[in-house]
C-alpha cells in the first residue's frame, strides 16, 4: 500500500469539485486525463484508507407485504 496523505486526498477532492483535472499539493503537480481518472484516483485512496479492496454496494432491493393478500 502506498502512503497517501490527507493533503493529497483533500487536493484531489477540491480539484474534482471545481471541475479541473490539474492537482497541486505539497509542491507537486499532476495532470489527470479526465474527471473520471481523477475520481478513480480519489476512490482508490479512499478504499486504501478505509481498508476495503472493492467498492461497497450503493443500492439494495427492499420488499414489503400488506399482509391481506
Amino acid at each position: 500500500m502506498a502512503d497517501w496523505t490527507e493533503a493529497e486526498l483533500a487536493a484531489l477532492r477540491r480539484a474534482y469539485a471545481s471541475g479541473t483535472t490539474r492537482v497541486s499539493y505539497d509542491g507537486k503537480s499532476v495532470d489527470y486525463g479526465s474527471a473520471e481518472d481523477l475520481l478513480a484516483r480519489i476512490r482508490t485512496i479512499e478504499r486504501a484508507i478505509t481498508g476495503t479492496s472493492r467498492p461497497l454496494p450503493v443500492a439494495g432491493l427492499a420488499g414489503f407485504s400488506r399482509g391481506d393478500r
Side-chain angles (χ1 to χ4, degrees), residues 13-67:
R13 287 176 174 159
R14 279 192 306 272
Y16 185 77
S18 69
T20 185
T21 57
R22 184 175 186 82
V23 181
S24 299
Y25 61 94
D26 294 336
K28 303 172 189 172
S29 186
V30 179
D31 284 314
Y32 289 88
S34 66
E36 290 80 22
D37 293 341
L38 181 57
L39 185 58
R41 179 70 167 178
I42 292 169
R43 297 296 180 238
T44 298
I45 294 172
E46 289 174 338
R47 282 193 302 270
I49 289 172
T50 60
T52 59
S53 60
R54 60 183 172 82
L56 299 175
V58 293
L61 179 62
F64 64 94
S65 173
R66 291 181 12 181

